[in-house]
Amino acid sequence: MINFRQWIILLKDMTHWLPFEPMSLEYIALTVALAAGPALILLRIIYKKDRRKPEPPRLVFFSILLGFASTIPALILGSISNRLITQFYPQHYLLLTAFVTAALIEEGSKMTMVYRYLVPKTSFDEVTDGILYTAGTSMGFAILENLLYSAGNPLSLMLLRGVTAVPLHATASGIMANWIARAKFGNANLRFIGLFHAVLIHGTYNALLFTSSGFSLLVIPLLLFSWRKLKRLIDRALLEDRFHGRS
């Protein structure tokens, strides 16, 4: 069975046909497109779901900027986490990196940004809004993360990240967003249930890739399952918002 690394090698061979040299202007433009394109497409799909009461574009853009900003605490805390894991739990390095350094810290940083800067906004008046704004934050995070990964890495890796890592951020954070929004309209502690779901999905994704084996391909059904779950939550949120007169 072909593992994840073999897919990267295969795609790297397929990129030899590109009609321009690495680090040329065209190459850089394609890298940026692969980093940002999938994220913006997914965000537009989610944005179009709420046709009755669309959110102000400026706040959607602000949510993307918050995603950029959330990479800063994630990088700092992630570096500290890696050092602690290496020092005290080296035998569990991959597992703890998957679920703590990557999943918990990244999703926690995004949740904090949304809850601190977006939840108090008066425009945040629907459960659907929480899903959209958190998706925007996660897409901002994914775009900047992809751009950072693009430095010194082949386009094949960017292509794989575009079709796996970007949907991962959107679905994991989108599912978390459902609970963040419900926390605004109910028990504030509900956001931690959302964080648990996001960490579980994100951590499982990382752990599967870290196996560098045929198990890596299980990220595909994981992403499909997570996307279907997010879609059901969006549809449910739309119905609830209409039922309660919020939209």
Side-chain angles (χ1 to χ4, degrees):
M1 183 180 292
I2 298 178
N3 62 37
F4 192 73
R5 289 181 179 177
Q6 289 172 322
W7 277 111
I8 292 179
I9 294 172
L10 178 61
L11 287 172
K12 185 176 181 180
D13 291 337
M14 292 173 64
T15 58
H16 287 164
W17 60 269
L18 292 174
F20 40 78
E21 296 296 323
M23 300 316 296
S24 65
L25 184 60
E26 294 87 351
Y27 185 93
I28 294 173
L30 181 57
T31 299
V32 172
L34 288 174
L40 296 177
I41 290 171
L42 279 175
L43 184 58
R44 179 174 176 79
I45 291 173
I46 296 174
Y47 183 79
K48 288 294 184 180
K49 281 282 186 178
D50 190 9
R51 296 186 180 92
R52 292 169 64 96
K53 192 179 177 183
E55 296 309 300
R58 60 181 179 82
L59 279 183
V60 178
F61 180 69
F62 180 57
S63 72
I64 296 175
L65 294 181
L66 287 177
F68 292 161
S70 67
T71 61
I72 298 174
L75 286 171
I76 295 172
L77 294 175
S79 177
I80 295 172
S81 174
N82 274 333
R83 291 181 183 179
L84 292 175
I85 293 171
T86 301
Q87 182 176 356
F88 296 106
Y89 305 101
Q91 68 276 24
H92 303 301
Y93 180 81
L94 291 180
L95 186 63
L96 291 175
T97 298
F99 282 92
V100 178
T101 303
L104 178 60
I105 290 177
E106 290 182 8
E107 298 300 336
S109 296
K110 288 180 279 186
M111 183 189 75
T112 301
M113 288 291 182
V114 172
Y115 204 77
R116 172 68 178 83
Y117 296 105
L118 288 172
V119 168
K121 299 289 185 182
T122 55
S123 294
F124 192 138
D125 55 3
E126 302 172 296
V127 175
T128 315
D129 297 346
I131 296 176
L132 174 64
Y133 291 140
T134 307
T137 302
S138 69
M139 292 300 90
F141 188 102
I143 289 171
L144 188 54
E145 184 182 56
N146 276 359
L147 289 174
L148 293 174
Y149 266 101
S150 69
N153 285 311
L155 283 175
S156 55
L157 179 60
M158 296 304 301
L159 180 60
L160 280 173
R161 286 190 59 80
V163 297
T164 60
V166 171
L168 177 277
H169 279 284
T171 54
S173 297
I175 291 171
M176 174 174 68
N178 173 71
W179 296 98
I180 292 177
R182 295 180 188 285
K184 175 170 183 173
F185 301 115
N187 187 339
N189 291 326
L190 286 175
R191 67 187 189 275
F192 296 111
I193 297 178
L195 179 62
F196 171 79
H197 281 88
V199 170
L200 181 62
I201 295 169
H202 197 156
T204 302
Y205 169 89
N206 292 329
L208 289 172
L209 293 187
F210 287 167
T211 64
S212 296
S213 67
F215 288 108
S216 301
L217 296 179
L218 291 177
V219 299
I220 297 175
L222 173 66
L223 291 173
L224 292 174
F225 168 80
S226 300
W227 178 253
R228 288 186 64 185
K229 175 69 173 178
L230 175 59
K231 186 178 181 299
R232 286 196 297 267
L233 288 174
I234 293 174
D235 292 340
R236 176 184 171 187
L238 287 169
L239 289 175
E240 288 187 8
D241 287 334
R242 292 168 189 168
F243 178 79
H244 292 287
R246 293 191 287 255
S247 66

